[in-house]
Amino acid sequence: MIQALHFKDEKSDKFWFIETLDCELMVNYGKTGTTGKYEIKEFDTVEECEKEALKLINSKKKKGYQEFPEFDRDNHYYFDDEECGLHILTSHINFRKYFTDEFYYDCGDEEAPFGSDEGNDALYELQEAIQKKKKINFFDFPKVIIEKIWEMDYLSPDVEKTDEELKEEAKTKYNGLLGDQVILQSDQVVLAVTFGQAKITGKIDSDLLELALKSLTRIDRLNRLIWNWDKEEATYYIETMRKDLIKFKEDSQKRLLQN
């Protein structure tokens, strides 16, 4: 169930939006033209969830709310309910369309975009900046987070480096941290900002997307050259993210050509 409603009188102008998915219900409400507040509720059954959604809709209509066909989901921002965390119902519809694997909503899996401490913190910094309406250069934002906010070292992914050069960089110390950890943190933040932009806005800066693809390549190389990971599990995450980003990029380019 999806329904957008609108209320306007001499004193207020506000929207109210509801969407259900299986046994969960999301409500987004606030002043028209703003992002508003998000809340998630969970029920024991689909029937209970749909019944509650209908009850809420009817309640709003009795208070004077009317249907709101102008509500623009494509240009709306999506922020997670703090109590619920990462959730499909508080993600932009384009994010849901292209990034379907469950790990995109995993806040505890180190290989997921938002699963590491660095990835989760980077998503928080991005959300804070967008909510405060700061002017953001998404391509530069990973560097801003690491160097200006966290006051640490940032190493941008460079696919031109040879294996020997990458191994040497991984052994170099940066303010007490080994290079492989600095590289990993840089790539985790790049990926979190990339997928975070898509999750919140439904778009990805084209240069940032290319940077994310380079970060995936560098992580893959580090897995092989430095950490001797079990390749099968690590490759699944990397290849899934790469495939999904490329599909997002190709479809975005098609839309630009059509327009």
PDB file of all heavy atoms in Angstrom, residues 21-46:
ATOM      1  N   LEU A  21       5.319  -2.779   3.353  1.00  0.00           N
ATOM      2  CA  LEU A  21       6.055  -3.862   2.694  1.00  0.00           C
ATOM      3  C   LEU A  21       6.008  -5.070   3.617  1.00  0.00           C
ATOM      4  O   LEU A  21       6.583  -5.048   4.709  1.00  0.00           O
ATOM      5  CB  LEU A  21       7.505  -3.455   2.422  1.00  0.00           C
ATOM      6  CG  LEU A  21       8.376  -4.509   1.742  1.00  0.00           C
ATOM      7  CD1 LEU A  21       7.873  -4.814   0.329  1.00  0.00           C
ATOM      8  CD2 LEU A  21       9.829  -4.060   1.694  1.00  0.00           C
ATOM      9  N   ASP A  22       5.285  -6.083   3.194  1.00  0.00           N
ATOM     10  CA  ASP A  22       5.086  -7.277   4.010  1.00  0.00           C
ATOM     11  C   ASP A  22       4.479  -6.869   5.365  1.00  0.00           C
ATOM     12  O   ASP A  22       3.405  -6.308   5.383  1.00  0.00           O
ATOM     13  CB  ASP A  22       6.398  -8.048   4.172  1.00  0.00           C
ATOM     14  CG  ASP A  22       6.921  -8.565   2.839  1.00  0.00           C
ATOM     15  OD1 ASP A  22       6.101  -8.880   1.956  1.00  0.00           O
ATOM     16  OD2 ASP A  22       8.154  -8.625   2.666  1.00  0.00           O
ATOM     17  N   CYS A  23       5.212  -7.106   6.455  1.00  0.00           N
ATOM     18  CA  CYS A  23       4.654  -6.813   7.784  1.00  0.00           C
ATOM     19  C   CYS A  23       5.155  -5.484   8.348  1.00  0.00           C
ATOM     20  O   CYS A  23       5.001  -5.230   9.551  1.00  0.00           O
ATOM     21  CB  CYS A  23       5.021  -7.934   8.763  1.00  0.00           C
ATOM     22  SG  CYS A  23       4.334  -9.537   8.315  1.00  0.00           S
ATOM     23  N   GLU A  24       5.743  -4.657   7.504  1.00  0.00           N
ATOM     24  CA  GLU A  24       6.303  -3.401   7.991  1.00  0.00           C
ATOM     25  C   GLU A  24       5.661  -2.197   7.312  1.00  0.00           C
ATOM     26  O   GLU A  24       5.248  -2.258   6.157  1.00  0.00           O
ATOM     27  CB  GLU A  24       7.813  -3.389   7.795  1.00  0.00           C
ATOM     28  CG  GLU A  24       8.512  -4.409   8.683  1.00  0.00           C
ATOM     29  CD  GLU A  24      10.000  -4.468   8.432  1.00  0.00           C
ATOM     30  OE1 GLU A  24      10.390  -4.773   7.295  1.00  0.00           O
ATOM     31  OE2 GLU A  24      10.777  -4.227   9.368  1.00  0.00           O
ATOM     32  N   LEU A  25       5.629  -1.126   8.052  1.00  0.00           N
ATOM     33  CA  LEU A  25       4.948   0.093   7.617  1.00  0.00           C
ATOM     34  C   LEU A  25       5.893   1.278   7.833  1.00  0.00           C
ATOM     35  O   LEU A  25       6.529   1.395   8.881  1.00  0.00           O
ATOM     36  CB  LEU A  25       3.665   0.246   8.425  1.00  0.00           C
ATOM     37  CG  LEU A  25       2.790   1.483   8.335  1.00  0.00           C
ATOM     38  CD1 LEU A  25       1.379   1.106   8.768  1.00  0.00           C
ATOM     39  CD2 LEU A  25       3.295   2.605   9.238  1.00  0.00           C
ATOM     40  N   MET A  26       5.998   2.141   6.840  1.00  0.00           N
ATOM     41  CA  MET A  26       6.805   3.352   6.944  1.00  0.00           C
ATOM     42  C   MET A  26       5.910   4.571   6.791  1.00  0.00           C
ATOM     43  O   MET A  26       5.067   4.626   5.895  1.00  0.00           O
ATOM     44  CB  MET A  26       7.886   3.385   5.859  1.00  0.00           C
ATOM     45  CG  MET A  26       8.761   4.641   5.862  1.00  0.00           C
ATOM     46  SD  MET A  26       8.048   6.048   4.935  1.00  0.00           S
ATOM     47  CE  MET A  26       8.212   5.469   3.257  1.00  0.00           C
ATOM     48  N   VAL A  27       6.090   5.541   7.694  1.00  0.00           N
ATOM     49  CA  VAL A  27       5.384   6.807   7.601  1.00  0.00           C
ATOM     50  C   VAL A  27       6.416   7.924   7.500  1.00  0.00           C
ATOM     51  O   VAL A  27       7.394   7.943   8.250  1.00  0.00           O
ATOM     52  CB  VAL A  27       4.473   7.045   8.828  1.00  0.00           C
ATOM     53  CG1 VAL A  27       3.883   8.451   8.774  1.00  0.00           C
ATOM     54  CG2 VAL A  27       3.356   6.013   8.863  1.00  0.00           C
ATOM     55  N   ASN A  28       6.201   8.824   6.546  1.00  0.00           N
ATOM     56  CA  ASN A  28       7.078   9.982   6.341  1.00  0.00           C
ATOM     57  C   ASN A  28       6.187  11.228   6.347  1.00  0.00           C
ATOM     58  O   ASN A  28       5.216  11.297   5.602  1.00  0.00           O
ATOM     59  CB  ASN A  28       7.800   9.826   5.003  1.00  0.00           C
ATOM     60  CG  ASN A  28       8.648  11.019   4.610  1.00  0.00           C
ATOM     61  OD1 ASN A  28       8.757  11.328   3.432  1.00  0.00           O
ATOM     62  ND2 ASN A  28       9.259  11.694   5.551  1.00  0.00           N
ATOM     63  N   TYR A  29       6.507  12.181   7.205  1.00  0.00           N
ATOM     64  CA  TYR A  29       5.619  13.335   7.337  1.00  0.00           C
ATOM     65  C   TYR A  29       6.426  14.587   7.690  1.00  0.00           C
ATOM     66  O   TYR A  29       7.530  14.504   8.239  1.00  0.00           O
ATOM     67  CB  TYR A  29       4.565  13.077   8.406  1.00  0.00           C
ATOM     68  CG  TYR A  29       5.140  12.771   9.769  1.00  0.00           C
ATOM     69  CD1 TYR A  29       5.366  13.785  10.704  1.00  0.00           C
ATOM     70  CD2 TYR A  29       5.471  11.464  10.126  1.00  0.00           C
ATOM     71  CE1 TYR A  29       5.903  13.508  11.948  1.00  0.00           C
ATOM     72  CE2 TYR A  29       6.016  11.173  11.363  1.00  0.00           C
ATOM     73  CZ  TYR A  29       6.231  12.195  12.275  1.00  0.00           C
ATOM     74  OH  TYR A  29       6.771  11.904  13.496  1.00  0.00           O
ATOM     75  N   GLY A  30       5.844  15.742   7.361  1.00  0.00           N
ATOM     76  CA  GLY A  30       6.503  16.989   7.707  1.00  0.00           C
ATOM     77  C   GLY A  30       5.973  18.142   6.883  1.00  0.00           C
ATOM     78  O   GLY A  30       4.972  18.026   6.169  1.00  0.00           O
ATOM     79  N   LYS A  31       6.660  19.268   6.952  1.00  0.00           N
ATOM     80  CA  LYS A  31       6.295  20.456   6.201  1.00  0.00           C
ATOM     81  C   LYS A  31       6.524  20.207   4.714  1.00  0.00           C
ATOM     82  O   LYS A  31       7.541  19.661   4.316  1.00  0.00           O
ATOM     83  CB  LYS A  31       7.127  21.649   6.672  1.00  0.00           C
ATOM     84  CG  LYS A  31       6.769  22.966   6.020  1.00  0.00           C
ATOM     85  CD  LYS A  31       7.630  24.095   6.582  1.00  0.00           C
ATOM     86  CE  LYS A  31       7.298  25.419   5.889  1.00  0.00           C
ATOM     87  NZ  LYS A  31       8.140  26.523   6.414  1.00  0.00           N
ATOM     88  N   THR A  32       5.556  20.582   3.889  1.00  0.00           N
ATOM     89  CA  THR A  32       5.677  20.382   2.448  1.00  0.00           C
ATOM     90  C   THR A  32       6.929  21.084   1.923  1.00  0.00           C
ATOM     91  O   THR A  32       7.197  22.232   2.268  1.00  0.00           O
ATOM     92  CB  THR A  32       4.437  20.930   1.719  1.00  0.00           C
ATOM     93  OG1 THR A  32       3.271  20.286   2.243  1.00  0.00           O
ATOM     94  CG2 THR A  32       4.521  20.671   0.222  1.00  0.00           C
ATOM     95  N   GLY A  33       7.701  20.363   1.116  1.00  0.00           N
ATOM     96  CA  GLY A  33       8.940  20.902   0.578  1.00  0.00           C
ATOM     97  C   GLY A  33      10.167  20.485   1.355  1.00  0.00           C
ATOM     98  O   GLY A  33      11.295  20.718   0.909  1.00  0.00           O
ATOM     99  N   THR A  34       9.961  19.839   2.517  1.00  0.00           N
ATOM    100  CA  THR A  34      11.082  19.335   3.307  1.00  0.00           C
ATOM    101  C   THR A  34      11.137  17.812   3.204  1.00  0.00           C
ATOM    102  O   THR A  34      10.229  17.174   2.665  1.00  0.00           O
ATOM    103  CB  THR A  34      10.940  19.723   4.789  1.00  0.00           C
ATOM    104  OG1 THR A  34       9.822  19.002   5.366  1.00  0.00           O
ATOM    105  CG2 THR A  34      10.705  21.226   4.934  1.00  0.00           C
ATOM    106  N   THR A  35      12.204  17.231   3.746  1.00  0.00           N
ATOM    107  CA  THR A  35      12.324  15.771   3.766  1.00  0.00           C
ATOM    108  C   THR A  35      11.374  15.155   4.777  1.00  0.00           C
ATOM    109  O   THR A  35      10.835  14.073   4.565  1.00  0.00           O
ATOM    110  CB  THR A  35      13.773  15.361   4.110  1.00  0.00           C
ATOM    111  OG1 THR A  35      14.640  15.893   3.108  1.00  0.00           O
ATOM    112  CG2 THR A  35      13.912  13.857   4.159  1.00  0.00           C
ATOM    113  N   GLY A  36      11.174  15.853   5.879  1.00  0.00           N
ATOM    114  CA  GLY A  36      10.286  15.340   6.912  1.00  0.00           C
ATOM    115  C   GLY A  36      10.942  14.281   7.782  1.00  0.00           C
ATOM    116  O   GLY A  36      12.144  14.023   7.706  1.00  0.00           O
ATOM    117  N   LYS A  37      10.146  13.654   8.603  1.00  0.00           N
ATOM    118  CA  LYS A  37      10.614  12.637   9.544  1.00  0.00           C
ATOM    119  C   LYS A  37      10.129  11.262   9.105  1.00  0.00           C
ATOM    120  O   LYS A  37       9.025  11.137   8.573  1.00  0.00           O
ATOM    121  CB  LYS A  37      10.082  12.965  10.948  1.00  0.00           C
ATOM    122  CG  LYS A  37      10.507  11.986  12.029  1.00  0.00           C
ATOM    123  CD  LYS A  37       9.971  12.423  13.382  1.00  0.00           C
ATOM    124  CE  LYS A  37      10.284  11.402  14.472  1.00  0.00           C
ATOM    125  NZ  LYS A  37      11.726  11.177  14.663  1.00  0.00           N
ATOM    126  N   TYR A  38      10.967  10.248   9.329  1.00  0.00           N
ATOM    127  CA  TYR A  38      10.621   8.875   8.969  1.00  0.00           C
ATOM    128  C   TYR A  38      10.419   8.020  10.210  1.00  0.00           C
ATOM    129  O   TYR A  38      11.166   8.136  11.181  1.00  0.00           O
ATOM    130  CB  TYR A  38      11.733   8.245   8.121  1.00  0.00           C
ATOM    131  CG  TYR A  38      11.767   8.723   6.688  1.00  0.00           C
ATOM    132  CD1 TYR A  38      12.538   9.826   6.323  1.00  0.00           C
ATOM    133  CD2 TYR A  38      11.036   8.071   5.702  1.00  0.00           C
ATOM    134  CE1 TYR A  38      12.575  10.261   5.016  1.00  0.00           C
ATOM    135  CE2 TYR A  38      11.066   8.496   4.387  1.00  0.00           C
ATOM    136  CZ  TYR A  38      11.845   9.594   4.045  1.00  0.00           C
ATOM    137  OH  TYR A  38      11.875  10.025   2.746  1.00  0.00           O
ATOM    138  N   GLU A  39       9.409   7.147  10.144  1.00  0.00           N
ATOM    139  CA  GLU A  39       9.171   6.192  11.223  1.00  0.00           C
ATOM    140  C   GLU A  39       8.813   4.836  10.620  1.00  0.00           C
ATOM    141  O   GLU A  39       8.077   4.758   9.634  1.00  0.00           O
ATOM    142  CB  GLU A  39       8.036   6.664  12.142  1.00  0.00           C
ATOM    143  CG  GLU A  39       8.370   7.904  12.948  1.00  0.00           C
ATOM    144  CD  GLU A  39       7.223   8.337  13.849  1.00  0.00           C
ATOM    145  OE1 GLU A  39       6.141   7.695  13.772  1.00  0.00           O
ATOM    146  OE2 GLU A  39       7.387   9.312  14.591  1.00  0.00           O
ATOM    147  N   ILE A  40       9.335   3.768  11.214  1.00  0.00           N
ATOM    148  CA  ILE A  40       9.051   2.399  10.778  1.00  0.00           C
ATOM    149  C   ILE A  40       8.323   1.667  11.905  1.00  0.00           C
ATOM    150  O   ILE A  40       8.690   1.775  13.071  1.00  0.00           O
ATOM    151  CB  ILE A  40      10.357   1.639  10.458  1.00  0.00           C
ATOM    152  CG1 ILE A  40      11.092   2.282   9.283  1.00  0.00           C
ATOM    153  CG2 ILE A  40      10.064   0.169  10.164  1.00  0.00           C
ATOM    154  CD1 ILE A  40      10.572   1.935   7.930  1.00  0.00           C
ATOM    155  N   LYS A  41       7.281   0.932  11.550  1.00  0.00           N
ATOM    156  CA  LYS A  41       6.567   0.099  12.514  1.00  0.00           C
ATOM    157  C   LYS A  41       6.474  -1.325  11.960  1.00  0.00           C
ATOM    158  O   LYS A  41       6.299  -1.514  10.753  1.00  0.00           O
ATOM    159  CB  LYS A  41       5.167   0.645  12.785  1.00  0.00           C
ATOM    160  CG  LYS A  41       5.150   2.016  13.460  1.00  0.00           C
ATOM    161  CD  LYS A  41       3.723   2.490  13.714  1.00  0.00           C
ATOM    162  CE  LYS A  41       3.701   3.852  14.380  1.00  0.00           C
ATOM    163  NZ  LYS A  41       2.315   4.328  14.623  1.00  0.00           N
ATOM    164  N   GLU A  42       6.574  -2.300  12.846  1.00  0.00           N
ATOM    165  CA  GLU A  42       6.522  -3.706  12.437  1.00  0.00           C
ATOM    166  C   GLU A  42       5.337  -4.397  13.098  1.00  0.00           C
ATOM    167  O   GLU A  42       5.001  -4.129  14.259  1.00  0.00           O
ATOM    168  CB  GLU A  42       7.819  -4.419  12.834  1.00  0.00           C
ATOM    169  CG  GLU A  42       7.920  -5.828  12.303  1.00  0.00           C
ATOM    170  CD  GLU A  42       9.281  -6.457  12.563  1.00  0.00           C
ATOM    171  OE1 GLU A  42      10.166  -5.757  13.084  1.00  0.00           O
ATOM    172  OE2 GLU A  42       9.433  -7.640  12.240  1.00  0.00           O
ATOM    173  N   PHE A  43       4.704  -5.300  12.327  1.00  0.00           N
ATOM    174  CA  PHE A  43       3.521  -6.018  12.813  1.00  0.00           C
ATOM    175  C   PHE A  43       3.744  -7.523  12.687  1.00  0.00           C
ATOM    176  O   PHE A  43       4.658  -7.977  11.985  1.00  0.00           O
ATOM    177  CB  PHE A  43       2.289  -5.582  12.023  1.00  0.00           C
ATOM    178  CG  PHE A  43       1.978  -4.115  12.154  1.00  0.00           C
ATOM    179  CD1 PHE A  43       2.605  -3.176  11.333  1.00  0.00           C
ATOM    180  CD2 PHE A  43       1.091  -3.661  13.112  1.00  0.00           C
ATOM    181  CE1 PHE A  43       2.335  -1.825  11.456  1.00  0.00           C
ATOM    182  CE2 PHE A  43       0.812  -2.303  13.248  1.00  0.00           C
ATOM    183  CZ  PHE A  43       1.440  -1.384  12.416  1.00  0.00           C
ATOM    184  N   ASP A  44       2.901  -8.288  13.346  1.00  0.00           N
ATOM    185  CA  ASP A  44       3.050  -9.745  13.338  1.00  0.00           C
ATOM    186  C   ASP A  44       2.646 -10.350  12.004  1.00  0.00           C
ATOM    187  O   ASP A  44       3.194 -11.377  11.582  1.00  0.00           O
ATOM    188  CB  ASP A  44       2.227 -10.374  14.460  1.00  0.00           C
ATOM    189  CG  ASP A  44       2.771 -10.030  15.834  1.00  0.00           C
ATOM    190  OD1 ASP A  44       3.992  -9.803  15.947  1.00  0.00           O
ATOM    191  OD2 ASP A  44       1.974  -9.980  16.790  1.00  0.00           O
ATOM    192  N   THR A  45       1.655  -9.738  11.339  1.00  0.00           N
ATOM    193  CA  THR A  45       1.174 -10.294  10.074  1.00  0.00           C
ATOM    194  C   THR A  45       0.990  -9.180   9.047  1.00  0.00           C
ATOM    195  O   THR A  45       0.888  -7.995   9.396  1.00  0.00           O
ATOM    196  CB  THR A  45      -0.188 -11.007  10.267  1.00  0.00           C
ATOM    197  OG1 THR A  45      -1.171 -10.035  10.623  1.00  0.00           O
ATOM    198  CG2 THR A  45      -0.089 -12.084  11.339  1.00  0.00           C
ATOM    199  N   VAL A  46       0.925  -9.595   7.780  1.00  0.00           N
ATOM    200  CA  VAL A  46       0.667  -8.644   6.696  1.00  0.00           C
ATOM    201  C   VAL A  46      -0.708  -8.012   6.879  1.00  0.00           C
ATOM    202  O   VAL A  46      -0.885  -6.803   6.656  1.00  0.00           O
ATOM    203  CB  VAL A  46       0.750  -9.358   5.326  1.00  0.00           C
ATOM    204  CG1 VAL A  46       0.311  -8.425   4.205  1.00  0.00           C
ATOM    205  CG2 VAL A  46       2.161  -9.866   5.074  1.00  0.00           C
TER     206      VAL A  46
END
